[in-house]
Structure formats: structure tokens, C-alpha cells
Amino acid sequence: MKKNYRNFFKSIFSKAKDNVNGTYQAVQMLNNFTPYYYNYSTNKYDNAIVRSCIDKIASQVAKLMPKVVLTQLDKEFVNLEFLLTQKPNEYMNRYDFLYKVVTLCYLNQNSFIYKRIENGKIVGLYPINYANVEFVEYQNELFCEFSFRTNSFKVTLPYQELIHLRRFYAENDLFGSSNDDALRPILNVIQASNDGMINAVNVSGQLRGLLKYSGVIQPEDLQARKQEFVRGYMNLNGNFDGIGALDSKFEFQPINLSPYTLDSEQQQLAIDNVCRLFGVSESILKGNFKEDEYNSFYNLVVEPFAMQLSLELTNKIFTQNQINKGNKIILSADKMTFANNSTKATMCREMLQLGVFSINEARSIFELEPIEDGDTHRVSLNYVDLNKANEYQLGVKEDDNENEE
């Protein structure tokens, strides 16, 4: 059965533990910042460069594999690994979930994930695409009140049940800071450049000028002769031929309009500024990056986000005692996955000779299936303990040298 928006809302938040019987109070911030955050991200996402930058980041983070590390089997977390690695909720798979979390964070500088709990177990993780959010307090407990664009739906959730990711976390005590002021001037330049090119194309196909009449003519006659010339030039009833006709009483004086457009260097500078703000190079944006360029992008953008999400998931899912015992959630990727085949081959050859890799570990780097007896580690006989080098090469033991003396 097809769900409507109201059922969709209830299916996620109907079990929310919002059992506070009282009045919420706005949280008092330290530096007079309001505890509100309004989502005005729609216009930014309409820009092609912004959308491409966010897509590149989100698609790479979404490739990471979450791993649940448990020091002891706890029934409370039996379903947790399936949620994080396969299906976080009934509407999303792992890739879609991570992609949406990253996208919302880079659009709003704040991304919230609702940890839905039933009968003491986590049964779903839901990214919240809110219209605005406010931090409120009741009896010394922190809550978040979310408002949505559809029919003014609202829900208030304990902050402890929310995984909260932030970017530009500096000015506000609780929220990541908006980057609208930094991004808006650059986007305005890009939009002006696009508008200028469109106008230039439109103007290039138009004839603009003045019709000069060598005599006195009534205004209505002048207007009629103008329309007659326009119809003849545009040939509205037939095919456009770009030719207009005038008699000797009229003179057409063209007006040349040259719309201003940014040159290629100015356009590239604006695009580079957007990419720099998101940490995405042009080679990553175009998909023609080299191995070292991708590794730099991974280290500077993907890995920090993965670390932030790992820490927040760990802190909001496990208790302090469970964390002290070693329980944690990590998101990681084998960096060799992003290396080219030449680098992979060199790495495998060296690691196999040193006994660091088994045959199956080397095969996994090339995404090959394991083979029988492939988990054994082998070493090259070309390597020997430095203290036993003479014995290995000359057949002379250290004790024999001492006896000869």
C-alpha cells in the first residue's frame, strides 16, 4: 500500500520517546547565538558545481564499510551490524543512507540521524531532512525540536537519541556554522556568468536599432510601419530569413549591444573557489584524477568525515562503560582499493616476500576469490637475521670464529 506523507512521518517517529509532560525552554547559548537553525539549502543545491562537489564527496563516503567492534555479545546490539552494513532503515540501503547523511551535512552544515529504539533495541537509523531545528531543554535534559515543511509537522527528540554531525563547528555552541555568506558571492558570480552567456546568445539572434523617417509622420503610422518592418524581418508567417525591407523614406540605424560575459580565467577562478570550499579538486570533479590526487582527496575530505561519523555513532550508541570495554563503530576503506594495478602489484610482491600478506590477502586486493590453502604466509629465503648472516652465507658459526681465535 502506498504511504502518504502523514503515514511516512508516523512510521518513523510514532515510537519516539517524547514523554515530557511540561514546557520546553530554549537553551541559553554562551555567546548570544540563538539555538535555532533554519534550512535554506535548496538554492545552493540547484547550482551544478555545488551539487557535483557534494556528489563526489557523498559517493565516496558511501563506499565505506561500517564495522561494529564488540568485546562481548550483547543482545541489545545483535541487529546493529545488519543496520549499519546493509539496511539502516526500511527505506534505504547502506549506500543511500551514507550518501544522504553526507549530502545533508554539506548542505546544512548539520546532519541529524534519529536512532529509533523499540523494546530496548535499535531498530532503525533515519537521516532527518528538517526545515528547521531548535535546541530546547526540560529538567536539565537536552532535546531537539524539528519542524518539517509538510503540513508543519513537528517532533521533539532527546539529543542522546540523535547522531549529530557538524561542519565549520566554530561560532555556535551546538550547531555547525552556515557557509552561505562565504558561498553566496561566488555563486552569484557564476550565476551572472551563466545569465550573461544566455543573454549573449539571445542578443546575437536579434536585430536591434532605430527606424529613422525622413519627414513628418503620424505616430500611429510610424507604429504601423515599424510593425510592418518587424513582420518582414522576422517573417512571422513563414520561415525566418533574416532580411528586412525598407523604402527610401526610412533608414535603419543598427544598435550593437555586446553583453558583458566573464572570460575563461574569471569563470575558472569562481569554480575553483567553490571547489576549494568543499575540498574537491577539479580532477576529482571531472573524474580524471591520478592516484596521488585521489589519496589526497581521501585523506583531506573522506577520512575526516568517516572519523567524525565513527566517533559520533560510537558515543551515541554505546554507553561510557561499554566504550571503556572496547566497543566501538568504525568506518574505513582499504586504500589499496583506490590504487592503480601497478601500485597494487608492487605492494603485493613486496608484502608477499616479507610474509606480511598471505596469498588470499593479495588476491582480495584485486577482488579475486580466495583459494584453498591460500591463508598461509610465506617468506623469501633471500632474507635472513642480520646476526646469522655469516652462518647463512659461509656456513661458519659464530662459535667457530671464537674457537679459531
Side-chain angles (χ1 to χ4, degrees):
M1 183 179 70
K2 185 177 180 180
K3 293 180 179 289
N4 58 37
Y5 284 106
R6 190 167 187 84
N7 287 338
F8 189 91
F9 179 85
K10 285 187 174 182
S11 68
I12 298 176
F13 298 114
S14 61
K15 302 293 184 180
K17 295 191 307 180
D18 187 8
N19 55 4
V20 177
N21 295 318
T23 303
Y24 295 106
Q25 294 182 343
V27 174
Q28 180 64 48
M29 312 293 272
L30 293 177
N31 296 302
N32 293 328
F33 285 100
T34 61
Y36 305 92
Y37 193 91
Y38 297 94
N39 179 3
Y40 296 118
S41 63
T42 303
N43 292 337
K44 288 187 294 185
Y45 203 52
D46 290 338
N47 181 273
I49 304 301
V50 170
R51 184 173 294 206
S52 296
C53 287
I54 294 177
D55 173 71
K56 295 301 180 291
I57 300 171
S59 62
Q60 297 309 303
V61 173
K63 291 161 62 175
L64 301 178
M65 176 60 73
K67 182 179 180 181
V68 182
V69 179
L70 297 175
T71 55
Q72 59 185 14
L73 184 61
D74 194 327
K75 293 181 179 180
E76 181 182 352
F77 304 113
V78 169
N79 196 42
L80 183 59
E81 183 149 3
F82 174 79
L83 290 175
L84 289 173
T85 61
Q86 297 296 327
K87 197 173 181 64
N89 59 66
E90 60 268 39
Y91 309 110
M92 305 173 188
N93 56 41
R94 183 190 85 236
Y95 181 94
D96 294 337
F97 170 79
L98 290 175
Y99 187 99
K100 192 176 185 75
V101 168
V102 176
T103 299
L104 293 177
C105 190
Y106 272 81
L107 281 177
N108 308 326
Q109 320 318 314
N110 293 273
S111 185
F112 291 90
I113 305 169
Y114 170 49
K115 180 182 65 176
R116 182 179 173 186
I117 300 175
E118 293 183 9
N119 299 321
K121 297 180 180 179
I122 301 174
V123 297
L125 297 167
Y126 301 85
I128 303 177
N129 189 10
Y130 53 89
N132 58 72
V133 57
E134 176 185 1
F135 274 99
V136 294
E137 178 266 339
Y138 180 74
Q139 293 185 349
N140 295 323
E141 186 176 356
L142 193 61
F143 292 81
C144 283
E145 183 179 80
F146 294 95
S147 299
F148 301 89
R149 294 184 178 90
T150 306
N151 295 330
S152 300
F153 287 150
K154 287 187 177 182
V155 64
T156 305
L157 303 169
Y159 187 63
Q160 187 57 36
E161 294 183 6
L162 296 167
I163 289 90
H164 182 194
L165 305 173
R166 297 168 276 218
R167 293 185 70 236
F168 305 122
Y169 185 34
E171 300 172 318
N172 200 291
D173 300 311
L174 294 170
F175 291 113
S177 299
S178 171
N179 69 340
D180 288 352
D181 291 339
L183 192 58
R184 188 182 299 109
I186 309 173
L187 296 185
N188 288 341
V189 171
I190 295 176
Q191 186 61 47
S193 175
N194 294 337
D195 293 341
M197 287 188 288
I198 294 172
N199 291 335
V201 172
N202 292 335
V203 169
S204 65
Q206 297 176 358
L207 182 64
R208 294 176 181 268
L210 298 173
L211 279 178
K212 184 178 180 181
Y213 183 69
S214 57
V216 180
I217 187 173
Q218 294 297 322
E220 58 270 17
D221 293 334
L222 183 62
Q223 185 68 21
R225 295 303 298 271
K226 171 194 169 185
Q227 295 299 332
E228 181 182 350
F229 173 75
V230 171
R231 284 194 299 269
Y233 172 71
M234 296 301 296
N235 198 6
L236 299 179
N237 296 323
N239 296 323
F240 172 68
D241 56 16
I243 299 175
L246 288 172
D247 58 26
S248 59
K249 295 180 181 180
F250 281 88
E251 178 186 354
F252 179 76
Q253 296 179 347
I255 298 176
N256 295 321
L257 297 178
S258 300
Y260 175 78
T261 58
L262 298 181
D263 58 36
S264 58
E265 290 186 3
Q266 292 171 320
Q267 294 176 22
Q268 188 60 49
L269 178 61
I271 294 173
D272 288 344
N273 285 334
V274 176
C275 293
R276 192 177 298 114
L277 191 59
F278 285 96
V280 180
S281 66
E282 187 175 0
S283 61
I284 296 294
L285 202 62
K286 293 182 177 180
N288 58 359
F289 51 83
K290 297 179 181 179
E291 182 181 334
D292 58 342
E293 292 173 328
Y294 184 86
N295 286 334
S296 177
F297 169 68
Y298 181 90
N299 291 331
L300 294 177
V301 179
V302 177
E303 194 169 43
F305 192 93
M307 179 180 294
Q308 183 187 19
L309 182 54
S310 298
L311 289 170
E312 184 67 358
L313 285 169
T314 298
N315 289 328
K316 290 297 180 66
I317 288 178
F318 298 115
T319 65
Q320 181 177 344
N321 185 49
Q322 291 167 334
I323 295 173
N324 291 338
K325 291 180 179 179
N327 295 301
K328 60 183 177 180
I329 297 170
I330 58 176
L331 282 86
S332 62
D334 183 358
K335 289 188 180 181
M336 289 301 294
T337 301
F338 311 119
N340 59 44
N341 287 336
S342 176
T343 301
K344 291 179 181 179
T346 301
M347 177 66 72
C348 288
R349 181 168 59 251
E350 296 296 328
M351 295 298 101
L352 283 169
Q353 291 179 354
L354 294 173
V356 177
F357 283 176
S358 67
I359 296 295
N360 283 338
E361 287 173 330
R363 290 175 63 86
S364 68
I365 291 177
F366 289 93
E367 298 182 359
L368 299 174
E369 294 294 326
I371 61 175
E372 188 176 356
D373 298 327
D375 293 325
T376 58
H377 291 255
R378 298 175 175 83
V379 296
S380 171
L381 292 179
N382 292 325
Y383 300 95
V384 66
D385 191 320
L386 181 62
N387 295 326
K388 298 183 178 180
N390 289 335
E391 178 183 344
Y392 175 76
Q393 291 183 332
L394 305 175
V396 178
K397 296 183 178 180
E398 188 174 346
D399 293 342
D400 294 339
N401 292 333
E402 294 178 354
N403 293 332
E404 288 179 2
E405 294 177 357

